Amino acid sequence: MEARKTSDSPAAVATRQVMVGSVALGGGAPCVVQSMLNAPARDVAANLAQVAALQEAGCEVVRMAIPSRSCLDAFAAVCAASPLPVVADIHFDAEVAVEAARRGAAKLRINPGNIGGLAACDAVMDAAGEAGIPIRIGVNAGSLEAGLAARTDLALPEKLAESAAGYVAYFEGRGFHDLVVSAKAHDVPATIATYRLLAESMPSVPLHIGVTEAGTAFQGIIKSAAGLGVLLEQGIGDTLRISLTDDPTLEVRACWTLLQALGLRRRGPELISCPTCGRCQVDLIALAKQVEERLAQVDRPLKVAVMGCVVNGPGEAKDADLGVACGQG
């Protein structure tokens, strides 16, 4: 995103830019597309094969879980061979984050709800500073700090935002400013409200946006498009992941489709096809699906129209880069 607008003010505010490997995030850079590897953490070959597939789909940054210290060697091997910057996803053990920074991570993601408290982050900051990499403070509704989770005077968005704010204040108080923040929930209205609070309270900090645990492809894409579309249209979001219980390459395709629909970035083709009605005199559904399958192999930002009747068909086909308006037969 080029800038951020908050609900209190229409004025645009640029976020601070951080570098994730060679990828610029925030500070006017285009919204970065991310996904997460889901191959077994110790299987280097499987993870690198998934990186290659994600890169072909248009992914710009990948994240890899490190569930235990025994997976650090595999993580280092993936980082060394990956053509994309690799983010280390850390929970429960701050020492793993320290080691990941030393072994090639392009960014660290830590969870305030289970990393061991603020003091445990001192060594993580030192290691990230020495490696010259940023840290994402990634809050999740399902793993909030116990004290915040138990409070009855705050709504969920306020709890998520307060958790993130406390860690940002602590990190910046120690002189570490290479930060990215996320605060995710599976509930779409809560996610929107949380990110609006974050954008208002820390307008210079880049935000990683997403609806977590969004579900399988059909539900997950709809929930993510509903929540992230609102935020992106308001200028909130420097990088995004559409989280799906599915093949990670589908996450990347969904991200690009959303960004393209909002006019923010273009990568692949856009298929314009009518929903069909009683005027349609061809099997347009089958035709449109066939065109869609063929377009999956195209990475140019073309507009392709497949229209079924005379109402809007000729106009849409004429305005597209490639188009057909069907008639009788």
Side-chain angles (χ1 to χ4, degrees):
M1 300 297 296
E2 293 186 359
R4 173 182 300 166
K5 296 180 289 185
T6 70
S7 59
D8 288 340
S9 171
V13 180
T15 57
R16 184 167 55 236
Q17 189 166 95
V18 302
M19 297 301 297
V20 183
S22 61
V23 177
L25 196 160
C31 190
V32 173
V33 172
Q34 297 198 28
S35 186
M36 189 167 184
L37 305 174
N38 62 8
R42 293 180 179 83
D43 191 333
V44 175
N47 277 286
L48 287 174
Q50 201 165 70
V51 170
L54 286 166
Q55 182 186 35
E56 184 176 358
C59 189
E60 295 167 304
V61 172
V62 296
R63 182 157 43 110
M64 181 176 176
I66 310 178
S68 68
R69 300 185 187 194
S70 63
C71 298
L72 281 164
D73 287 344
F75 174 77
V78 170
C79 289
S82 173
L84 300 177
V86 182
V87 179
D89 189 74
I90 313 297
H91 297 262
F92 304 111
D93 191 343
E95 283 300 316
V96 173
V98 171
E99 283 299 314
R102 294 169 178 167
R103 298 195 189 203
K107 184 171 78 171
L108 304 176
R109 181 277 170 106
I110 60 171
N111 184 343
N114 58 35
I115 199 62
L118 291 168
C121 297
D122 290 349
V124 178
M125 279 185 271
D126 292 341
E130 291 172 9
I133 60 175
I135 295 173
R136 169 157 70 99
I137 298 168
V139 184
N140 275 359
S143 53
L144 270 168
E145 301 101 303
L148 268 176
R151 289 182 61 174
T152 59
D153 60 320
L154 297 176
L156 177 59
E158 294 170 317
K159 293 177 183 180
L160 293 167
E162 184 157 324
S163 174
Y167 272 73
V168 168
Y170 184 78
F171 277 52
E172 292 185 339
R174 290 190 77 251
F176 192 96
H177 298 275
D178 245 3
L179 296 171
V180 179
V181 164
S182 66
K184 299 183 182 181
H186 70 85
D187 180 78
V188 172
T191 298
I192 293 171
T194 299
Y195 279 105
R196 283 174 172 167
L197 287 173
L198 293 173
E200 292 169 3
S201 63
M202 50 184 77
S204 66
V205 178
L207 295 180
H208 170 122
I209 61 173
V211 178
T212 193
E213 295 114 20
T216 52
F218 183 80
Q219 174 180 280
I221 289 173
I222 290 175
K223 288 178 68 174
S224 297
L228 306 187
V230 169
L231 295 171
L232 289 166
E233 194 279 330
Q234 294 178 343
I236 297 172
D238 300 281
T239 181
L240 80 160
R241 178 192 176 195
I242 290 181
S243 301
L244 302 174
T245 311
D246 209 302
D247 186 327
T249 58
L250 184 58
E251 297 185 350
V252 175
R253 287 177 55 201
C255 285
W256 278 105
T257 303
L258 177 59
L259 292 171
Q260 183 164 294
L262 291 167
L264 297 175
R265 297 186 72 180
R266 291 184 64 86
R267 181 178 185 271
E270 177 183 2
L271 176 59
I272 303 162
S273 61
C274 62
T276 75
C277 70
R279 283 183 292 270
C280 192
Q281 296 179 334
V282 296
D283 186 359
L284 190 74
I285 294 174
L287 179 60
K289 287 182 178 178
Q290 185 179 10
V291 173
E292 184 178 46
E293 290 171 3
R294 296 188 182 189
L295 288 177
Q297 309 304 316
V298 178
D299 61 2
R300 296 175 64 187
L302 299 172
K303 286 189 176 183
V304 179
V306 181
M307 303 296 291
C309 83
V310 298
V311 176
N312 294 315
E316 292 286 3
K318 181 180 179 181
D319 289 342
D321 296 306
L322 297 169
V324 58
C326 298
Q328 186 174 3

